[in-house]
Amino acid sequence: MQEGKQWVVDVDLSKFFDEVNHDVLMAKMKLIDRYLRTGIMQGGVASPRKQGTPQGSPLSPLLSNILLNELDTELERRGHSFCRYADDFVIFVKSEKAAERVFDSVVDFLERRLKLRINRSKSHITKYNKLTFLGFGFLSGKEARLKVPKEIQKRFRKKAKLLFKMGRGRNVQRFIHDTLNPFLRGWATYYRLCKVKTMVEELDSWIRRRLRLVIWRQWKRPRTRLKRLTAAGLDSVLARRSAYNGRGPWWNSGASHMNQALPNSFFADLGLVSLRQLLLRSDQSLNSGTAVYGTVRTVV
């Protein structure tokens, strides 16, 4: 984090890909005029497209960079520190007063010069350590260290729950290999630069509990649960009491008898990857992940 610059202007463009002004864009790149104006098929009838770019098209992020390059140039001319990825960008300034002034001038530039509409409900001025940008948060300090915001952790659990619902009736090892591990590896790769040791340990524990929940449900009947718990090495009295305890699946998934019957090593043997181990093996250690901002950083 550049010294003294702790306030952030966070501008959100309202429905950017839906409302790109074609006249402004084509002044930058006339070769794509025919592509942009290709009609939209609705109810078997083709109607002309007057604004917006095709959602999901690999060309749309490129078009955003073509159009917003003028914004980059303007911010560089003004000497601002900023970071942009496609249509998401933030500007770093030294004070709240400066942030308010920059916000107003940048909004005016975007609306008047580039004909873009600002989503004012999502745009805001904040301290950098309260910012969420591209799914990352920032810890306080002289150097801005990356973190995973609480709302992103909630999204992780929500997505994982959907995956576990898919795995209820499947072979657990196959579910881990085909569905769960790719999700965990992808998530860990994206957040490999974050300082997240305690958080990922909690998520690893939560993932194993969800797997124990799947297995407990698959056992279904108390008689089957007794058989499985006994086979896993539990004392016969404890196994019977646990199998017939009448508690719900979620309670049992976190109880000591399931942790004893299905320890962490059990899931490691099934091939379950660990978020903590994935992050430890990354080039950046968990304790030294940093975000560096120079005078200007434009990510495209």
Side-chain angles (χ1 to χ4, degrees):
M1 181 64 62
Q2 196 169 35
E3 185 176 357
K5 295 189 176 181
Q6 298 191 7
W7 285 88
V8 181
V9 177
D10 181 11
V11 180
D12 187 278
L13 297 174
S14 177
K15 298 182 179 179
F16 177 85
F17 292 118
D18 293 332
E19 299 190 10
V20 167
N21 185 282
H22 288 181
D23 292 332
V24 175
L25 181 59
M26 295 318 303
K28 312 296 179 184
M29 184 64 79
K30 294 184 178 180
L31 294 178
I32 55 177
D33 181 64
R34 292 180 64 186
Y35 171 81
L36 282 175
R37 299 186 189 280
T38 299
I40 305 172
M41 187 67 70
Q42 294 179 328
V45 179
S47 57
R49 185 194 299 270
K50 296 183 179 180
Q51 67 177 15
T53 62
Q55 285 283 358
S57 167
L59 187 57
S60 292
L62 174 62
L63 297 180
S64 72
N65 287 333
I66 293 170
L67 181 62
L68 293 176
N69 182 65
E70 189 168 344
L71 171 65
D72 299 344
T73 302
E74 177 64 17
L75 294 177
E76 289 174 355
R77 186 187 68 78
R78 298 182 187 184
H80 290 312
S81 299
F82 68 96
C83 181
R84 180 176 69 80
Y85 184 87
D87 61 315
D88 293 319
F89 66 94
V90 291
I91 307 167
F92 300 91
V93 295
K94 292 184 177 181
S95 67
E96 184 176 11
K97 186 175 181 180
E100 292 172 350
R101 183 178 65 253
V102 169
F103 178 84
D104 290 339
S105 64
V106 169
V107 166
D108 181 72
F109 177 85
L110 291 167
E111 291 181 336
R112 290 177 178 272
R113 185 70 170 269
L114 300 183
K115 311 296 184 187
L116 295 171
R117 188 161 60 90
I118 304 303
N119 188 333
R120 295 180 181 273
S121 65
K122 292 185 178 180
S123 302
H124 60 287
I125 294 171
T126 185
K127 283 269 193 174
Y128 79 90
N129 59 339
K130 296 180 181 179
L131 173 71
T132 297
F133 181 58
L134 301 178
F136 291 96
F138 303 87
L139 296 169
S140 301
K142 293 183 178 179
E143 288 189 332
R145 296 170 296 166
L146 298 172
K147 69 175 183 178
V148 182
K150 294 290 186 182
E151 61 266 28
I152 301 300
Q153 296 178 41
K154 290 179 181 179
R155 289 183 199 172
F156 172 91
R157 294 181 186 239
K158 184 176 181 179
K159 172 63 176 178
K161 284 181 180 179
L162 292 176
L163 297 180
F164 280 113
K165 286 183 179 179
M166 295 167 51
R168 284 182 181 177
R170 297 173 57 188
N171 175 275
V172 173
Q173 187 171 23
R174 191 174 301 118
F175 166 72
I176 289 173
H177 182 270
D178 296 342
T179 304
L180 188 56
N181 280 351
F183 168 68
L184 296 176
R185 287 194 180 98
W187 194 88
T189 298
Y190 189 79
Y191 289 103
R192 67 187 183 279
L193 298 179
C194 293
K195 185 178 178 62
V196 294
K197 180 179 178 180
T198 301
M199 185 208 71
V200 294
E201 288 176 345
E202 292 175 354
L203 290 180
D204 277 335
S205 177
W206 181 82
I207 287 290
R208 290 189 295 267
R209 182 171 181 178
R210 299 298 305 193
L211 286 169
R212 293 185 182 103
L213 174 64
V214 170
I215 294 172
W216 181 264
R217 282 176 167 158
Q218 288 182 349
W219 289 348
K220 293 184 179 178
R221 297 179 179 82
R223 184 188 307 173
T224 303
R225 292 167 180 167
L226 172 59
K227 180 180 178 180
R228 299 293 188 182
L229 292 173
T230 302
L234 267 69
D235 172 82
S236 60
V237 175
L238 175 60
R240 178 171 292 276
R241 185 168 64 245
S242 301
Y244 289 88
N245 62 31
R247 299 270 193 165
W250 181 245
W251 184 91
N252 277 284
S253 68
S256 59
H257 56 268
M258 284 297 283
N259 281 272
Q260 184 178 338
L262 306 176
N264 296 352
S265 58
F266 171 83
F267 296 108
D269 290 341
L270 290 181
L272 177 67
V273 299
S274 162
L275 289 174
R276 184 174 184 275
Q277 291 301 318
L278 288 172
L279 291 171
L280 284 174
R281 287 198 297 267
S282 67
D283 292 336
Q284 300 289 333
S285 73
L286 292 171
N287 295 319
S288 62
T290 58
V292 180
Y293 299 90
T295 302
V296 174
R297 279 284 187 272
T298 307
V299 184
V300 296

